[in-house]
Amino acid sequence: MCLLAGVVSLPNDTTPEDWQSFKNSAVNWLKKEYGKCLRSVIEHKDEAHKHLHFYCIPDAGKQFSSIHKGIEARTKARQEKLSSKEQNLAYCEAMREFQDKFSLEVGQPHGLTRIGPGRRRLTRAQWQQEQAQARALKQANSRAKKVVKKAEKQAIEIVEKAEEKASNINAFGVSVGGFFDGLKNGYSKSKKELEEKIDEVREEERAKHLKELNEQRKHFEYEIDQSESARDDLKLTNKELRTELKNIYSKHGEYIKEQKALEEKEKLSREIEARRQQREQEEQEQRQRQNKDQGIKSVFN
């Protein structure tokens, strides 16, 4: 049986509240992603970055690929009889989508960007704009949660006050009613008016908070659309960069072939020139020997 292990980290300059919120979101996401296969999550706060270690084990009888997206994609590509290079690309793309999903559902709501500026060749202005979008998304998320909590708290207070007033009026009516039956109709009318007033106030508060929630929700959805748009642009840019890099590798390979062919040609030319010079030297030495032999013959003659 194989064990899947992973790490989720956060920069160490975050507040304890930010870390606690991020940690809860990350653990909930891991539970949703892996279900019962998630066996352990361990928190570490004594290193350079606060982080979580998580461990998963596939269900009995299932392959390791059932909990590992990259291996699952590579196995499928192998079954389709794709090349080793295509299998590796399928693995990388699946893992990239896995990280994109975590970034969209956990990282971005907490103000984290997907990839740093260096690897994507972003300008300083582009990187600052992306960070601003991430912070805006985090703030919108935080405001929405605060509005919901505030609305819930105020709704509870209004209900409690209304129930307290109704209880006091009811107790007062019961005690007085025993002595003043003639006030019964007046009390009933006052109680009804009070209940109507309470319902009216309650509806006004509910409408007010509902309007505020809708405005916050629209703003939050707008921020998410902006973030998703930026993410799509980045994904497209990454795809274009990969295509450009592939073309560069291809051109580089062609250049290397041309250089090798040129080197072979130059080497052959040097060898031919060396053989020619050697042949000329041999012919010259041969002529010298012939001239020397003829000189010797002349002396003896």
Side-chain angles (χ1 to χ4, degrees), residues 21-78:
S21 177
F22 175 79
K23 179 180 69 174
N24 292 339
S25 298
V27 171
N28 290 333
W29 188 87
L30 291 170
K31 289 179 179 178
K32 183 178 69 173
E33 183 72 15
Y34 294 107
K36 294 181 180 180
C37 295
L38 179 66
R39 299 304 178 92
S40 176
V41 179
I42 301 174
E43 177 183 13
H44 282 178
K45 297 194 294 184
D46 57 346
E47 299 180 28
H49 295 270
K50 300 182 183 72
H51 60 277
L52 302 172
H53 292 273
F54 65 91
Y55 303 95
C56 304
I57 297 177
D59 292 332
K62 289 191 176 182
Q63 297 291 329
F64 183 65
S65 58
S66 64
I67 59 172
H68 195 296
K69 300 297 183 183
I71 294 179
E72 182 183 30
R74 187 172 61 191
T75 301
K76 183 178 179 181
R78 185 184 300 116

Side-chain angles (χ1 to χ4, degrees), residues 283 285-295:
E283 290 176 352
E285 291 175 351
Q286 186 177 5
R287 286 195 297 270
Q288 290 176 352
R289 286 194 298 271
Q290 290 176 351
N291 292 335
K292 186 176 181 181
D293 292 340
Q294 288 177 357

Side-chain angles (χ1 to χ4, degrees), residues 111-227:
L112 301 177
T113 55
R114 169 70 173 84
I115 305 174
R119 288 182 59 192
R120 289 176 285 135
R121 301 178 183 176
L122 298 182
T123 65
R124 180 176 178 81
Q126 290 172 329
W127 175 236
Q128 289 177 340
Q129 181 181 7
E130 185 172 327
Q131 287 184 313
Q133 289 176 342
R135 288 193 298 269
L137 178 60
K138 179 182 179 181
Q139 292 171 359
N141 217 356
S142 178
R143 287 196 300 268
K145 291 180 179 178
K146 289 181 180 179
V147 169
V148 171
K149 289 182 179 180
K150 180 180 178 182
E152 291 177 348
K153 182 179 179 180
Q154 291 180 347
I156 292 173
E157 290 177 352
I158 291 171
V159 172
E160 289 178 348
K161 289 180 180 179
E163 290 177 348
E164 182 181 357
K165 289 181 180 180
S167 177
N168 293 337
I169 292 173
N170 185 48
F172 176 78
V174 170
S175 60
V176 175
F179 299 96
F180 303 98
D181 291 336
L183 297 179
K184 185 176 182 180
N185 293 332
Y187 162 72
S188 299
K189 182 179 180 181
S190 298
K191 181 181 178 182
K192 183 177 180 181
E193 290 176 352
L194 180 59
E195 290 175 347
E196 291 176 352
K197 185 63 176 178
I198 290 173
D199 290 339
E200 182 181 344
V201 171
R202 186 179 295 169
E203 287 299 325
E204 288 178 358
E205 289 294 327
R206 184 181 292 111
K208 177 183 176 182
H209 291 300
L210 183 61
K211 181 180 179 181
E212 187 175 356
L213 280 173
N214 285 333
E215 291 176 355
Q216 291 292 338
R217 186 179 293 110
K218 288 180 181 178
H219 182 72
F220 179 68
E221 289 174 351
Y222 170 78
E223 296 292 349
I224 286 198
D225 289 340
Q226 292 295 314
S227 179

